[in-house]
Amino acid sequence: MSAANSLDEASRPFGAQLTMRWWVPILLTVLVVGATYALQALFLSAAAIIEVGLWGKDPHDATLTPLTYLATNLAIILLAPLTLMVLRLATKTPWRSVMTTIRRFSWRRLGSYTLLFAGLMIFLNVILALVHPSPGSAFQVTGTTTLLLAVVLLTTPLQAAAEEITFRGVLTASYASWIRAARPTLIVGISLSTLLFALLHTSSDPWMFLNYLGLGASTALIALLGRGLEASIAFHAMNNVFAMAIGSLFAFGGGISQDRSAGAAGPYMLLFILAQAIAVVLVWRIEKRRTHDSETGRAELRLAAQ
């Protein structure tokens, strides 16, 4: 068998649709880990030279400014084309096969799920404000705040999409290629890609780590249920956009805190886990109804043709 990747989209679920040689998932893992740290080091170093060297920023200030947040997002965004390129060279897999199975990628589906999950995030953050309110003095709008919001709105959806393509589109399917039985392969693919996703967020806080595990697992299940990345990209994007936008507004007019050390979060993070579970259920119900409507339509066409 050659290194070329064979597709079995008709019989295998999304997340396990690719087959490849055993060493390709290892190569992709090394690439993702190495590129994550290397690209962030490169872009953040460039941002530090500008901010500290030219603008006189305190070198001990670790908050996310508009420039450092832009640098972080650009580093993550570049992961998607890098992993797709390596996957293509190693297996000849077209990038479209990473995005969906059976059908084409749907921008309309992406838009409808984005609106749905925006509503879910509004509901979540209203509840969060009641359970874990931020101090009123933290709400300030300055020039830094405005620039941060602009970077959040312009680049965070792309950053979330890149993570979904990399972790759910490429890595989940690559790990799943090690096993051919459908159920075990999904467990292996989702578990390994979710664990790597959480570890690369480098948080020593157990509540944050649990949230990253939940986000990785829920978006993998969402992609599986939707047979593509539209819904998972929409949920991940809305989760990140609302978190960072609210973080910008409640940062005392400065940069966003990126403290991920032990004790930085608390039990209120369970609300995010709840939102992730709700998102999975919503996608399951919507996709189940869509499948039923599609099957009903085909049956009616067959009857009309008889």
Side-chain angles (χ1 to χ4, degrees), residues 2-296:
S2 68
N5 182 67
S6 63
L7 302 178
D8 193 14
E9 296 181 357
S11 61
R12 291 175 66 78
F14 186 84
Q17 77 275 23
L18 306 180
T19 57
M20 60 190 74
R21 290 189 172 181
W22 65 268
W23 53 266
V24 177
I26 298 174
L27 173 64
L28 290 167
T29 302
V30 173
L31 170 72
V32 169
V33 174
T36 296
Y37 289 110
L39 288 172
Q40 290 201 18
L42 176 64
F43 282 97
L44 288 173
S45 295
I49 290 172
I50 295 172
E51 291 189 330
V52 177
L54 300 180
W55 298 347
K57 176 187 173 182
D58 182 356
H60 299 292
D61 183 0
T63 59
L64 284 174
T65 63
L67 188 58
T68 54
Y69 185 52
L70 176 63
T72 300
N73 275 359
L74 288 177
I76 296 172
I77 290 168
L78 285 177
L79 284 178
L82 281 174
T83 51
L84 290 175
M85 179 182 67
V86 171
L87 184 68
R88 175 67 176 174
L89 292 173
T91 68
K92 295 184 170 57
T93 301
W95 66 268
R96 291 178 181 83
S97 297
V98 171
M99 304 296 287
T100 60
T101 56
I102 302 175
R103 56 177 180 78
R104 292 183 177 181
F105 186 87
S106 172
W107 291 99
R108 181 176 180 181
R109 185 180 295 218
L110 176 64
S112 62
Y113 272 121
T114 298
L115 291 175
L116 174 65
F117 293 138
L120 176 60
M121 287 300 131
I122 291 172
F123 174 75
L124 166 68
N125 283 283
V126 168
I127 302 300
L128 182 62
L130 298 175
V131 174
H132 185 71
S134 299
S137 59
F139 180 83
Q140 294 183 34
V141 178
T142 63
T144 297
T145 307
T146 303
L147 287 174
L148 271 171
L149 289 173
V151 174
V152 168
L153 294 175
L154 292 174
T155 67
T156 299
L158 296 176
Q159 169 257 324
E163 288 190 324
E164 288 306 302
I165 291 170
T166 300
F167 289 93
R168 261 60 72 180
V170 174
L171 288 180
T172 297
S174 71
Y175 296 142
S177 71
W178 281 330
I179 302 173
R180 295 309 295 165
R183 288 185 179 179
T185 198
L186 285 172
I187 293 173
V188 169
I190 291 173
S191 298
L192 291 179
S193 63
T194 295
L195 180 60
L196 181 63
F197 175 77
L199 289 173
L200 283 179
H201 281 79
T202 59
S203 175
S204 59
D205 182 88
W207 292 106
M208 283 190 175
F209 189 74
L210 179 63
N211 175 58
Y212 293 133
L213 285 175
L215 181 59
S218 62
T219 49
L221 289 172
I222 287 170
L224 168 65
L225 292 167
R227 294 174 299 171
L229 294 180
E230 298 97 336
S232 68
I233 289 173
F235 180 73
H236 197 155
M238 289 300 97
N239 177 83
N240 289 11
V241 165
F242 274 82
M244 300 310 295
I246 292 172
S248 302
L249 292 170
F250 287 88
F252 298 95
I256 305 171
S257 172
Q258 52 178 340
D259 183 12
R260 295 178 180 175
S261 61
Y268 64 87
M269 296 297 291
L270 290 173
L271 286 173
F272 292 93
I273 306 296
L274 176 61
Q276 293 157 11
I278 291 173
V280 172
V281 172
L282 287 174
V283 173
W284 172 66
R285 295 295 301 270
I286 290 170
E287 295 300 327
K288 183 178 180 181
R289 184 178 62 189
R290 181 177 280 127
T291 301
H292 177 268
D293 292 345
S294 178
E295 291 174 350
T296 301

